[in-house]
Amino acid sequence: MPFDDEDLVLPSGLAPVPGEEGADEDALADETQDFRLFTSFFDKKAASGKTLRRGEKDFESHGTRAQEGALEASRAAMHEVLSYTRSHRPKDINRGWYFPDKWADAPSEEQREVEKGARMFAPDRVVVVEGDLRGPLGHNTGRVVTGPGFEAYKQTPGALKTWLLPEEALYLVERGSLDLWWPSRAIEGIFPVKKGDESEPADEPSAEFEDYELGIPLSLQAAYALFIGKDGERGKITIEKYQVYANLRRTGYKIIRATPIPLPPSIPTKSPRSLWQWLFSLFPTISQSHPPPYGPLVKPGLYRSYNQIFAQLALIPRHEPTPQPKASTPAPEEPFNIHFHIWKSSTAFSKTKPPPPDFRIAVADARSSSVPTLEQMTALLERCTPWDPPERPREGQNGGGPGQLYRRLKHGWRNAVVAVVDGGLISYIRFGEMAFGEERLYERIGTGGRGSKGKRGGRNGRGGRGGRGGGHGGGGGGRGK
């Protein structure tokens, strides 16, 4: 995988075939990094801002001292690079304390009367940050646990500080922006209440003790052991969900845990109002949507348009999307449930009231789950995603052409993304509720009706196509037949 934006220069005999897909990616995957070029500009003060550069590759040993010296120099440079301690700017470093039981008894989202916005997920917030969350990675990360239902916690130590979810804390630790500590004292001993005002908690840790008297720093391995768990464990997240979260964050997307959306009421199943109606409903009735089993498909008659003919030829029932989910649609099952809401990097929003997400993602483990069934996908789309029909063409645009038709079909009426994780390898698959029957092509062609106007007349008073002309060298054309 390339580490910079330089173009790869290959020998003439190894150049990829132009136009062949994946040729450039395969060539970059086989490329080996030359650490000697990296050590040539290896700056101890600003090493984190440097990138690895590609160099020449020796495929096999040919027994010369020059090659052995070059390989030994590359090995020594690689060990020197890998043994270097990564450093970060002090102004971007944050220290967090692990308190998993602070919000263990906090009210759930169903018990709180909250207005429209993102959920708090207070019981799962297990890391408190000293001061404000600094650095570019801290944007749209963490929440201050306030609002209806948390009035009793407002006067407690650490209540008005930024609290992180397990995936947020682990990602910041992994990227070097958070120094995670295990407390050796209670939260009252680390964030004591100010002596002057008993109702106002302190912003900084207690100055009466040294740092190592308050707790001990944790490694990245310890952070993984604390935050990675199974579904349903409070204060933990599965490794598959964290891999998807970290992958999207590194790519530049903004991601938060999904908040269930309010859906319109389901369409109830119509039941007969009386016994006679129930008896007559058992007999098949002949309607326009169910043609009789005998006779011609197209009724004899005079037709001015092909629309009526094609409407009679539509014998197979087609899917018609509706804003309301059907009453027979079951509840979504894990893992086919929306877990994260995704926004593009250019979207600016508030963490408390974010706009509608650009993508909705469900995370599935390829080792423990299989291909979703039709019932599972129907429950995912109808119960977890909003009604979002494609934009219909304006009147007179005649459908907008084939490109607009394919765009509407690709958008669908509802859509969701399933991230399939197979041992760390993530594949994103987009599912949508489409309705091919809603794109009636016969309404755009063969409209029939009145003919087009004829052309203007030609020489010697003869009319154009479709009619006779007038006098004096050319009259106007008539109407077509």
Side-chain angles (χ1 to χ4, degrees), residues 112-189:
R112 298 169 55 225
E113 295 180 1
V114 297
E115 58 184 8
K116 183 179 180 181
R119 279 192 171 186
M120 185 66 67
F121 300 102
D124 290 328
R125 298 189 178 273
V126 294
V127 176
V128 57
V129 181
E130 294 182 6
D132 296 331
L133 195 59
R134 300 181 297 270
L137 296 179
H139 296 167
N140 304 109
T141 303
R143 292 280 298 275
V144 178
V145 183
T146 57
F150 299 108
E151 293 82 0
Y153 295 87
K154 187 176 181 180
Q155 311 301 332
T156 60
L160 300 181
K161 306 189 76 63
T162 302
W163 287 81
L164 303 177
L165 292 170
E167 62 269 21
E168 298 173 340
L170 184 55
Y171 178 76
L172 293 179
V173 172
E174 192 175 36
R175 303 297 289 180
S177 297
L178 181 66
D179 192 9
L180 185 62
W181 283 61
W182 178 276
S184 59
R185 300 177 181 273
I187 190 172
E188 295 82 4

Side-chain angles (χ1 to χ4, degrees), residues 80-100:
E80 182 181 358
V81 170
L82 297 179
S83 61
Y84 177 72
T85 303
R86 185 175 59 175
S87 60
H88 304 274
R89 294 180 296 180
K91 66 178 183 179
D92 293 340
I93 294 297
N94 306 275
R95 182 162 70 167
W97 297 87
Y98 181 70
F99 288 103

